[in-house]
C-alpha cells in the first residue's frame, strides 16, 4: 500500500500531528497534486478551531497550495491539463457551477465554494486531490514557495486593487504592512497608483519605502489617520488589509469624494461607520473576497512580470505545528510556508 503524510488536527484547536494515509486516486474531474509548498494563512485558524459550519475532524487545512499534477482523473486531460504541470490552488478550490452566481460567471461568491481544508483535505501534506476548475498554472519564473501564498494572499490584494475604482495615478492607501499589506503595497505601485502605506510605528516607514510606497502614515503618531490622508489630498481607495475594525474605521474620513474602502482584512467586531460619513462625499464601502483560479493565474503572471514576490519563511512539513503557532502569534515575516522535500 502506497502512503503519504499529512499534518492534521483531530479536535478543534488541537495540535498538529503527522500521520500517514493511503494515497487516494482522483475521481472524475479531479487531479492529484504532489504538493511542493503550502502557505499558512490566518484563515486556516477558522478550520483548525472548527469555526465554520461543516468543518469535520480530523482536519487537514491549507489553501495556498503549489505543486505538480501527479495523476489525472477522468475528463481532466480534455480540459488541457497534463501530468507534470505546475499548478496552484487557493481559497477558490472549485465551485458548484449551477447556482445563480456561477451561471453569471461570478464563481468566487458561489454559496457552495469548495475551499481546500473545508470542502476537502487541504495542502498541509504531501499530496492533495483538487477539482480541475481550481487549478491555476504557475509561471516558470515563480518558485513553488512564492506561488503558494499568491493563491490566496496575493490574489486577494491584487484582485482587490484591480477591481477597485482606482485608476492609474490615483492615490491608494494600504492599511497594514503584514502578510497581505506587504504585497498590497507592491501591487499598488506596479499598477501605477500613488501609494500610501499605513501601519503602526515610525520604524516601519523605511520598510514601506523599500516596498515602493510614496508616502507613509504612522497610525500611532498622534495625528489621526484620516487627517494624515486628507493632508495628502485624500485617498481614492483604501485597501484595508489589517484585520482590525477600529483601524479600518479610522481611515474612512480620509477617503476623497467618491472614495472607496475595500475591506479584505477579517475581523468579527463591527466597524464604527455612520451614514453621514458616506452620504455627503458619496463614499463606498465594500468587502472583497479572494479570486478564481483564473484570477490566481493573472496574479502570478503579473507578479512574475513585475518582480513581485511574497516575503516568506519556509519550514518543513514536519514542523507544521511550530509554524502554525508562529503565524498565530503574529511573528511570521511575512508568510509561513510548509515545504516537502
Amino acid at each position: 500500500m502506497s502512503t503519504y503524510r499529512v499534518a492534521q488536527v483531530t479536535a478543534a484547536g488541537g495540535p498538529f500531528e503527522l500521520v500517514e494515509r493511503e494515497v487516494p486516486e482522483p475521481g472524475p474531474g479531479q487531479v492529484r497534486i504532489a504538493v511542493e509548498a503550502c502557505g499558512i494563512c490566518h484563515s486556516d485558524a477558522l478550520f483548525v478551531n472548527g469555526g465554520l459550519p461543516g468543518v469535520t475532524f480530523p482536519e487537514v487545512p491549507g489553501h495556498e497550495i503549489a505543486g505538480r499534477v501527479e495523476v489525472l482523473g477522468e475528463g481532466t486531460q480534455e480540459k488541457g491539463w497534463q501530468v507534470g504541470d505546475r499548478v496552484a490552488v487557493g481559497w477558490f478550490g472549485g465551485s458548484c457551477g449551477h447556482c445563480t452566481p456561477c451561471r453569471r460567471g461570478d464563481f468566487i461568491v458561489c454559496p457552495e465554494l469548495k475551499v481546500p481544508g473545508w470542502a476537502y483535505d487541504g495542502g498541509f501534506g504531501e499530496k492533495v486531490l483538487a477539482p480541475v476548475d481550481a487549478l491555476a498554472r504557475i509561471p516558470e519564473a515563480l518558485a513553488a514557495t512564492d506561488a503558494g501564498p499568491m493563491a490566496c494572499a496575493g490574489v486577494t490584494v491584487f484582485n482587490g486593487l484591480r477591481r477597485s475604482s482606482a485608476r492609474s495615478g490615483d492615490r491608494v492607501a494600504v492599511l497594514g504592512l503584514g502578510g497581505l499589506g506587504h504585497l498590497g503595497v507592491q501591487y499598488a505601485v506596479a499598477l501605477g497608483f500613488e501609494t500610501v502605506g499605513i501601519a503602526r510605528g515610525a520604524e516601519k516607514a523605511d520598510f514601506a519605502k523599500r516596498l515602493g510606497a510614496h508616502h507613509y502614515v504612522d497610525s500611532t503618531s498622534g495625528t489621526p489617520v484620516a487627517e494624515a490622508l486628507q493632508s495628502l489630498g485624500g485617498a481614492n481607495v483604501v485597501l484595508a488589509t489589517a484585520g482590525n475594525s477600529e483601524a479600518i474605521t479610522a481611515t474612512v474620513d480620509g477617503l476623497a469624494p467618491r472614495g472607496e474602502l475595500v475591506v479584505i482584512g477579517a475581523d468579527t467586531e463591527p466597524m464604527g461607520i455612520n451614514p453621514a460619513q458616506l452620504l455627503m462625499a458619496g463614499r463606498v464601502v465594500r468587502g472583497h473576497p479572494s479570486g478564481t483560479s483564473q484570477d490566481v493565474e493573472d496574479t502570478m503572471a503579473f507578479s512574475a512580470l513585475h518582480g513581485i514576490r511574497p516575503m516568506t519563511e519556509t519550514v518543513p512539513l514536519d514542523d507544521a505545528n511550530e509554524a502554525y503557532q508562529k503565524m498565530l502569534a503574529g511573528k511570521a515575516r511575512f508568510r509561513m510556508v510548509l515545504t516537502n522535500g
Side-chain angles (χ1 to χ4, degrees):
M1 179 181 71
S2 181
T3 63
Y4 72 110
R5 298 186 306 156
V6 298
Q8 66 177 27
V9 291
T10 56
F16 283 91
E17 58 181 35
L18 285 171
V19 299
E20 291 201 1
R21 295 183 177 181
E22 184 176 356
V23 174
E25 292 301 315
Q30 292 182 323
V31 301
R32 190 172 76 216
I33 300 169
V35 178
E36 296 175 349
C38 185
I40 301 177
C41 180
H42 201 278
S43 300
D44 288 320
L46 294 172
F47 311 131
V48 171
N49 294 328
L52 292 172
V55 172
T56 59
F57 294 90
E59 158 68 21
V60 181
H63 56 267
E64 293 186 341
I65 304 164
R68 293 182 183 271
V69 174
E70 189 174 64
V71 178
L72 296 166
E74 181 185 344
T76 56
Q77 192 165 9
E78 290 82 352
K79 301 289 186 180
W81 299 99
Q82 297 181 359
V83 170
D85 283 347
R86 302 181 70 225
V87 295
V89 179
W91 180 266
F92 178 85
S95 58
C96 75
H98 59 75
C99 69
T100 299
C102 283
R103 292 176 67 190
R104 289 175 173 161
D106 200 0
F107 303 106
I108 192 60
V109 292
C110 171
E112 299 177 38
L113 188 68
K114 301 170 185 175
V115 181
W118 188 3
Y120 52 88
D121 284 343
F124 284 23
E126 295 172 333
K127 302 180 189 298
V128 68
L129 297 181
V132 69
D133 62 323
L135 305 182
R137 293 186 187 277
I138 301 175
E140 286 305 315
L142 288 186
T145 51
D146 293 328
M150 286 181 179
C152 180
V155 68
T156 300
V157 292
F158 176 68
N159 222 26
L161 286 169
R162 71 170 179 170
R163 294 183 182 277
S164 75
S165 58
R167 297 295 177 261
S168 294
D170 281 354
R171 190 173 299 109
V172 170
V174 178
L175 173 65
L177 296 179
L180 293 171
H182 86 285
L183 285 167
V185 170
Q186 294 179 76
Y187 287 130
V189 173
L191 287 166
F193 303 138
E194 180 184 344
T195 304
V196 186
I198 307 171
R200 296 176 57 84
E203 71 280 359
K204 294 181 181 176
D206 287 342
F207 178 58
K209 296 297 176 64
R210 289 202 305 273
L211 292 173
H214 304 98
H215 312 280
Y216 177 71
V217 172
D218 173 12
S219 62
T220 66
S221 68
T223 301
V225 169
E227 185 178 321
L229 289 176
Q230 289 297 347
S231 72
L232 296 171
N236 301 100
V237 167
V238 170
L239 182 72
T241 73
N244 184 304
S245 292
E246 184 178 354
I248 295 171
T249 299
T251 68
V252 174
D253 286 333
L255 289 168
R258 301 289 182 189
E260 182 181 35
L261 172 62
V262 181
V263 180
I264 62 176
D267 191 1
T268 56
E269 295 299 315
M271 294 187 295
I273 301 172
N274 67 66
Q277 290 176 279
L278 307 178
L279 292 172
M280 298 302 290
R283 292 166 175 150
V284 173
V285 179
R286 70 175 179 87
H288 173 75
S290 180
T292 66
S293 52
Q294 182 60 58
D295 293 324
V296 173
E297 205 163 297
D298 292 347
T299 300
M300 293 190 292
F302 185 88
S303 301
L305 182 65
H306 290 275
I308 296 171
R309 301 292 187 274
M311 296 181 182
T312 61
E313 182 177 346
T314 59
V315 293
L317 180 66
D318 305 65
D319 298 331
N321 198 65
E322 292 81 356
Y324 175 77
Q325 293 301 327
K326 188 170 184 178
M327 178 280 298
L328 273 187
K331 296 179 179 179
R333 301 289 287 173
F334 285 87
R335 307 295 295 187
M336 301 298 297
V337 180
L338 300 176
T339 59
N340 291 307

